[in-house]
Amino acid sequence: MMRDWGHAAALAVRFLTRLPVPGEDPARFGQDIGRALPLFPWVGALVGALAAVPLLLGAMLWPLPVAVLLALALEARLTGALHEDAVADLCDALGGGRSLEDRLRILKDSRVGSYGVLGLGLAVALRASGLMASGEAWRAAAILVVAGGFGRLLMLATMVAVPTVPNRTSLAAGVAPRAGWGGLLLAMLLFLPLLALGAWISAWGMLVAFGLGAGFLLWFRGLLLRLLGGSTGDTLGFAAYAGMLIATLALAARL
């Protein structure tokens, strides 16, 4: 049983990051992915913790803004810019697509247009500004960890709340249906230590983050069903980045 959870944890890390985790076995994917999904928030926290290292070290040599940008650069490298790419793609699809077919076609297009550039630029700038607004390196580092977990929790909630686009073959279409309410509940229980860390940073901020996250999920579900007919891999990646942004701004706010 413990070995099965070990395989699931390794799969969760491989799925969300570029970290070289050994022991990949494609034959076990269908068996392990259900267990791996509730572990996604902790993988996000791991990425945040690794990104916090250059932030803390950089803050010893440079002002906090420089250290924050170093941290976000490493974070993007660790994940292969997985969520940033999703933000750009979804902004392009929803901004430039006039019909359902247009939007789905743009989502599959690897090129980035003006909506994608602007959307991603603003998202990264807002997140960086929130970390800088925290005022202290240790606080920004802790926010990176909590926000990393919160973003992947919101991604998992999106998997549960929004059905995938019908008749669309993708990795997300094969993974998202495995995310049931039981898995989401387990993920929320596993998130409790990160919740405690967030409450230590700012209890009101953590409460605001969950309120905004719930509101975002309701709005995002309606938007995706209306404009895309469901969720795709890019919409899930967008939800993860939105969650990181929401938690960052909420925890950095002067509440």
Side-chain angles (χ1 to χ4, degrees):
M1 187 67 165
M2 291 300 296
R3 179 177 294 181
D4 288 339
W5 280 104
H7 284 297
L11 176 58
V13 174
R14 283 194 297 269
F15 193 88
L16 291 176
T17 76
R18 295 286 180 87
L19 293 173
V21 179
E24 183 172 6
D25 183 359
R28 291 188 58 95
F29 184 87
Q31 176 183 345
D32 293 332
I33 189 61
R35 286 192 179 96
L37 290 172
L39 303 178
F40 277 16
W42 272 100
V43 176
L46 171 63
V47 172
L50 293 174
V53 174
L55 191 155
L56 293 172
L57 294 177
M60 298 178 184
L61 300 173
W62 300 289
L64 184 58
V66 176
V68 164
L69 293 179
L70 288 173
L72 294 183
L74 177 61
E75 182 191 78
R77 179 67 183 90
L78 290 172
T79 63
L82 179 67
H83 305 310
E84 289 84 354
D85 178 69
V87 170
D89 285 346
L90 188 61
C91 287
D92 268 338
L94 298 186
R98 298 301 180 90
S99 66
L100 174 60
E101 293 73 19
D102 278 346
R103 297 179 194 114
L104 294 177
R105 175 184 54 79
I106 293 171
L107 278 178
K108 297 178 71 173
D109 193 334
S110 60
R111 294 171 296 180
V112 179
S114 56
Y115 287 104
V117 171
L118 182 60
L120 178 58
L122 288 173
V124 174
L126 278 171
R127 192 158 164 244
S129 298
L131 291 169
M132 295 172 196
S134 65
E136 298 178 85
W138 69 265
R139 186 181 175 93
I143 289 174
L144 272 175
V145 176
V146 177
F150 187 83
R152 278 64 174 197
L153 182 64
L154 188 56
M155 177 175 70
L156 189 60
T158 304
M159 288 186 189
V160 174
V162 187
T164 56
V165 174
N167 303 319
R168 186 178 174 89
T169 303
S170 67
L171 185 59
V175 170
R178 308 291 187 94
W181 289 103
L184 179 59
L185 177 60
L186 177 57
M188 294 179 70
L189 290 174
L190 294 174
F191 185 78
L192 288 177
L194 297 174
L195 175 63
L197 176 59
W200 177 70
I201 299 169
S202 170
W204 280 110
M206 202 69 244
L207 184 63
V208 169
F210 269 94
L212 291 176
F216 168 83
L217 182 60
L218 289 173
W219 168 80
F220 197 48
R221 182 180 188 276
L223 181 76
L224 295 182
L225 291 176
R226 185 173 74 254
L227 297 183
L228 293 177
S231 68
T232 68
D234 283 325
T235 66
L236 299 177
F238 183 98
Y241 205 88
M244 289 190 284
L245 178 56
I246 287 170
T248 298
L249 294 179
L251 291 173
R254 298 171 183 172
L255 299 173

